[in-house]
Amino acid sequence: MRFDVITLFPEQFRILSREGVVARALSRGIAELRLWNPRDFAPGPHRRVDDRPYGGGPGMVMLFEPLAAAIAAARAASPKSQVAYLSPQGTRLDQDAINDIAAKPGWILLAGRYEGIDERLLERCIDQEWSIGDYVLSGGELPAMVVMDAAIRLLPGALGHERSAYEDSHMSGLLDCPHFSRPEEIDGLRVPKVLLSGDHGAIARWRRQQALGRTWLKRPDLLAKMTLDQATTLDQATTLDQEAR
Ligand SMILES: CC(C)(C)c1cccc(C(=O)NCC2(NC(=O)c3cccc4nocc34)CCCCC2)c1
């Protein structure tokens, strides 16, 4: 899977190629990352990438021409990729959206800065608009990295052997169960006995029950969102739970 990122701050993306799942996927060729700086496509001696907004007001707007040229160059290099602008106006991303994103051959991600981009880019050059959440950010670079992290970890071979472990927990649509490790007791706080029992059936039941309970209490909206098949699993878990009592 190929990511072409259009950004005024390409240096920020070094973090992805240094360590972790994304770095490993990049070094293994499971994913590719290419950075495009609009400043390299800005004409004239001053190579302007931003200018004052028509109609006045504070701040600057990213100019159409350098961004359109950078997008065209990225499209030429990655003809199968669609263009997505990371923006507060975008469709809110969730795991279902990430699954769809990871199923495509590649994406050209545009990260905004200043007050945003010239609106005509949305008309002429951008296919999709995505948001990672409702809070004010300084740029679209971190959202772009969030999308890349979430999508790349889904690619075959990205997670290696531990993927199956994630599969049934993270992909169940439920919150995680509580996690414990050494020592058994900290300041009077002990590890739940079932986790020390070695009874893997009971441990699996307890974990499922805890995940269900926490999701019910903290994020009932996730439960409501579960698809039919997950709901079936939910029934199975509940049955298991009833048997256990
Ligand atoms: C009502 C709300 C959401 C608080 C809001 C309302 C108005 C402006 C912003 C805002 O943050 N403007 C700055 C800006 N943000 C983003 O790019 C951005 C923000 C949040 C999630 C994102 N996902 O992708 C990109 C995202 C970066 C600089 C270029 C202009 C966009 C926010």
Side-chain angles (χ1 to χ4, degrees):
M1 170 167 224
R2 177 163 168 145
F3 283 100
D4 292 278
V5 180
I6 298 172
T7 171
L8 287 172
F9 298 94
E11 286 303 301
Q12 290 202 356
F13 289 81
R14 281 194 182 286
I15 190 172
L16 293 177
S17 47
R18 265 214 300 268
E19 56 190 342
V21 170
V22 174
R24 214 169 44 222
L26 292 171
S27 64
R28 290 177 180 167
I30 296 172
E32 289 171 77
L33 170 61
R34 184 157 169 195
L35 300 163
W36 304 80
N37 190 333
R39 200 169 297 282
D40 299 333
F41 297 87
H46 305 293
R47 300 190 11 177
R48 288 205 69 128
V49 292
D50 66 315
D51 208 332
R52 297 182 8 261
Y54 280 118
M60 303 292 269
V61 173
M62 293 181 83
L63 291 171
F64 179 94
E65 191 186 354
L67 286 176
I71 290 170
R75 281 194 191 272
S78 308
K80 293 184 188 156
S81 295
Q82 285 200 324
V83 179
Y85 174 45
L86 284 304
S87 131
Q89 288 84 13
T91 308
R92 186 66 177 277
L93 293 179
D94 59 10
Q95 193 60 47
D96 290 343
I98 296 293
N99 294 339
D100 295 343
I101 289 167
K104 300 283 189 217
W107 290 92
I108 297 165
L109 303 181
L110 171 56
R113 278 277 161 173
Y114 312 122
E115 298 310 305
I117 63 173
D118 189 297
E119 189 67 13
R120 289 164 286 189
L121 283 153
L122 287 156
E123 296 292 312
R124 285 277 184 278
C125 313
I126 290 164
D127 303 309
Q128 299 204 18
E129 222 179 341
W130 301 332
S131 170
I132 65 163
D134 293 338
Y135 23 78
V136 179
L137 295 174
S138 315
E141 281 78 12
L142 288 173
M145 287 188 243
V146 163
V147 170
M148 287 173 62
D149 183 86
I152 287 174
R153 57 183 293 112
L154 295 177
L155 299 177
L159 281 184
H161 67 282
E162 75 273 15
R163 175 178 174 80
S164 56
Y166 286 121
E167 206 114 56
D168 58 16
S169 71
H170 293 194
M171 304 306 278
S172 69
L174 294 175
L175 297 178
D176 239 356
C177 62
H179 301 297
F180 297 88
S181 187
R182 289 180 309 100
E184 273 189 39
E185 193 241 321
I186 300 171
D187 184 29
L189 298 172
R190 301 192 56 74
V191 172
K193 281 268 174 293
V194 66
L195 297 180
L196 308 172
S197 69
D199 177 344
H200 299 291
I203 290 168
R205 272 195 296 279
W206 181 85
R207 285 177 166 163
R208 188 89 196 152
Q209 200 179 1
Q210 290 290 318
L212 279 167
R214 289 172 120 185
T215 311
W216 175 265
L217 289 173
K218 298 184 176 198
R219 290 293 309 277
D221 57 299
L222 290 179
L223 278 185
K225 197 174 159 188
M226 287 177 81
T227 62
L228 184 62
D229 57 303
Q230 282 168 329
T232 310
T233 315
L234 194 55
D235 290 346
Q236 285 160 356
T238 314
T239 313
L240 275 174
D241 170 43
Q242 280 153 359
E243 278 167 10
R245 288 179 187 284

